């Protein structure tokens, strides 16, 4: 069975963009693939995190996976730092990654601008750690949002480079990016992606947002000129809202456009708010019913399974490069 690997950083506020761009695709993949889903806590450290909040967020991301339907009977769910081989392989890959290719990473450039006071080495080599996550498990496919495509391409380049230098070792992974929802845009600014680090909370709908707040955010979302509810390049805001509606309600955009034809933006937003609220209520009920102890048990079992695979691969890598005498 093909191997799938993906992860989300435990940096609070998992939003509708993360769900529609990434996690939603994981749910379908888990039926016919060998899936590994990780809470990438080492990545989160590249931006300063308060320890007690990070600890809570790690559990919350794992709970979010479960509440959205990631099934521990089908998929391995674990926390990155529980399997030390990730950091070990990252170091080895650092020695074949070029500073020039890391300087070109858009996310690094953005984050370096956002966190001028803390442009640390971890932030710079973040994509190398991500490559280690992926390559450690002989991953075939990496389901992510559009913004992570460049990082998966770097993982491919590093796999090819390593294989060339030391002989066939790593599977060369493919990014798996959805046609719809791969780039959910900000509600307050449809020219930028929805982001948990946005300046205003009106940018995103967090999965744990109070439903009243979520409703307000939808009603206040930026719209385009005109009044017709229609998707298209001339209507970026409406296209974004229609995409969210369509994916959450599992209905084609055309059908939603027809339903709101001649009814204006206000009516459409009320409809969308209902779809969003229904989704959040269902999610939050499931989320709140998962006990911390239950998640911890699942994560421990997941780490044990992941470790077995990781140890085998790191042995192979060490042999290839001359570290095992
Ligand atoms: P992060 O929150 O950066 O750890 O991202 C987790 C996953 O969500 C990654 O696969 C991202 O590509 C995806 N993602 C983040 N923001 C968006 C967005 N606005 N639209 C679609 N996917 C997104
Ligand atoms: N960098 C990804 C993000 O910001 C998270 C991530 C880390 C990841 N390691 C990964 C995603 C491996 C897929 C595969 O969203």
């Amino acid at each position: 069975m093909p191997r799938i690997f993906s992860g989300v950083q435990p940096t609070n506020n998992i939003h509708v963009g993360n769900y529609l761009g990434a996690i939603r695709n994981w749910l379908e993949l888990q039926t016919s693939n060998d899936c590994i889903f990780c809470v990438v806590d080492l990545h989160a450290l590249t931006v300063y995190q308060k320890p007690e909040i990070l600890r809570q967020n790690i559990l919350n991301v794992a709970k979010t996976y479960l509440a959205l339907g990631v099934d521990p009977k089908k998929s391995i769910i674990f926390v990155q730092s529980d399997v030390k081989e990730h950091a070990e392989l990252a170091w080895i890959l650092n020695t074949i990654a070029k500073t020039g290719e890391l300087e070109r990473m858009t996310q690094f450039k953005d984050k370096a601008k956002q966190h001028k006071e803390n442009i640390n080495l971890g932030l710079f080599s973040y994509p190398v750690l991500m490559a280690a996550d992926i390559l450690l498990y002989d991953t075939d496919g990496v389901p992510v949002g559009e913004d992570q495509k460049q990082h998966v391409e770097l993982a491919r380049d590093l796999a090819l480079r390593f294989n060339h230098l030391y002989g066939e070792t790593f599977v060369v992974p493919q990014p798996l990016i959805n046609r719809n929802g791969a780039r959910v845009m900000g509600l307050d600014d449809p020219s930028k992606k929805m982001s948990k680090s946005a300046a205003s909370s009106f940018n995103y709908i967090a999965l744990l947002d109070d439903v009243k707040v979520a409703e307000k955010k939808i009603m206040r979302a930026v719209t385009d000129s005109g009044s017709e509810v229609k998707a298209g390049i001339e209507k970026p805001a409406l296209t974004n809202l229609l995409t969210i509606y369509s994916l959450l309600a599992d209905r084609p955009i055309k059908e939603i456009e027809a339903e709101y034809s001649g009814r204006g933006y206000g009516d459409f937003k009320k409809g969308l708010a209902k779809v969003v609220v229904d989704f959040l209520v269902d999610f939050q009920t499931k989320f709140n019913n998962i006990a911390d102890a239950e998640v911890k048990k699942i994560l421990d079992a997941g780490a044990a399974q992941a470790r077995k695979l990781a140890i085998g691969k790191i042995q192979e890598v060490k042999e290839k490069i001359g570290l095992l005498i």
Side-chain angles (χ1 to χ4, degrees):
M1 264 205 284
R3 168 68 45 72
I4 299 293
F5 186 100
S6 194
V8 173
Q9 299 184 69
T11 44
N12 69 41
N13 290 333
I14 290 207
H15 53 65
V16 164
N18 299 130
Y19 171 59
L20 298 179
I23 304 174
R24 189 172 180 271
N25 307 336
W26 303 358
L27 306 180
E28 277 171 33
L29 287 165
Q30 41 174 9
T31 49
S32 47
N33 297 274
D34 236 336
C35 290
I36 307 181
F37 299 120
C38 186
V39 181
V40 288
D41 56 349
L42 295 174
H43 278 102
L45 293 176
T46 56
V47 172
Y48 176 77
Q49 308 289 328
K50 285 207 178 84
E52 63 281 10
I53 296 181
L54 179 60
R55 230 183 318 271
Q56 190 57 52
N57 282 338
I58 293 170
L59 270 186
N60 279 355
V61 169
K63 263 191 210 179
T64 300
Y65 290 178
L66 296 170
L68 288 173
V70 177
D71 180 354
K73 288 198 205 78
K74 294 184 190 149
S75 303
I76 298 179
I77 306 173
F78 78 106
V79 177
Q80 188 184 32
S81 66
D82 280 344
V83 180
K84 62 183 171 22
E85 285 72 17
H86 289 247
E88 195 173 354
L89 181 58
W91 175 260
I92 292 169
L93 295 177
N94 267 330
T95 65
I96 61 163
K98 316 278 183 198
T99 55
E101 61 194 347
L102 294 175
E103 275 161 3
R104 282 199 296 277
M105 296 289 133
T106 332
Q107 183 173 306
F108 170 68
K109 288 192 271 189
D110 288 350
K111 287 204 176 171
K113 246 189 257 160
Q114 259 176 40
H115 303 278
K116 281 205 181 68
E117 76 303 335
N118 185 20
I119 308 176
N120 59 74
L121 275 180
L123 193 64
F124 188 62
S125 67
Y126 174 114
V128 180
L129 177 58
M130 177 161 162
D133 299 341
I134 297 168
L135 302 183
L136 198 47
Y137 298 98
D138 291 330
T139 301
D140 299 290
V142 187
V144 281
E146 179 67 41
D147 63 333
Q148 295 300 314
K149 188 166 172 222
Q150 198 183 25
H151 290 163
V152 181
E153 276 161 5
L154 180 83
R156 289 174 60 84
D157 291 344
L158 293 179
L160 288 166
R161 194 171 304 154
F162 189 99
N163 290 349
H164 179 73
L165 285 168
Y166 299 108
E168 216 41 50
T169 310
F170 292 123
V171 171
V172 181
Q174 294 282 350
L176 303 177
I177 294 170
N178 242 14
R179 216 148 31 89
N180 295 317
R183 198 171 162 81
V184 176
M185 308 310 274
L187 298 178
D188 60 346
D189 178 1
S191 69
K192 295 206 183 79
K193 68 167 186 176
M194 183 176 282
S195 163
K196 47 190 161 194
S197 54
S200 160
S201 68
F202 279 90
N203 173 274
Y204 56 80
I205 307 271
L207 298 189
L208 290 174
D209 266 350
D210 179 271
V211 292
K212 285 269 170 279
V213 173
E215 209 171 344
K216 207 181 280 167
K217 288 181 179 179
I218 296 288
M219 296 316 287
R220 277 221 214 151
V222 166
T223 47
D224 307 292
S225 57
S227 61
E228 210 184 337
V229 178
K230 220 167 171 34
I233 32 172
E234 68 293 352
K235 291 207 177 206
L238 263 290
T239 304
N240 190 42
L241 297 179
L242 276 161
T243 303
I244 296 173
Y245 195 133
S246 156
L247 292 171
L248 287 183
D250 219 351
R251 288 175 58 194
I253 288 187
K254 285 270 163 272
E255 192 183 302
I256 304 163
E257 285 173 344
E259 181 179 338
Y260 290 97
S261 154
R263 290 171 57 188
Y265 292 160
D267 255 13
F268 167 68
K269 279 183 168 178
K270 274 188 211 143
L272 173 60
K274 182 170 180 331
V275 168
V276 168
V277 166
D278 287 350
F279 169 73
L280 292 184
V281 167
D282 179 57
F283 167 76
Q284 290 172 11
T285 308
K286 289 182 182 142
F287 183 96
N288 291 326
N289 273 330
I290 305 170
D292 285 3
E294 188 186 338
V295 189
K296 285 183 188 161
K297 227 164 89 190
I298 291 170
L299 292 174
D300 280 347
Q305 284 174 284
R307 210 172 283 129
K308 256 194 227 147
L309 300 168
I311 287 173
K313 196 72 199 178
I314 208 85
Q315 276 296 104
E316 184 188 345
V317 169
K318 283 177 153 180
E319 269 165 28
K320 288 270 171 63
I321 57 184
L323 289 182
L324 287 185
I325 50 168

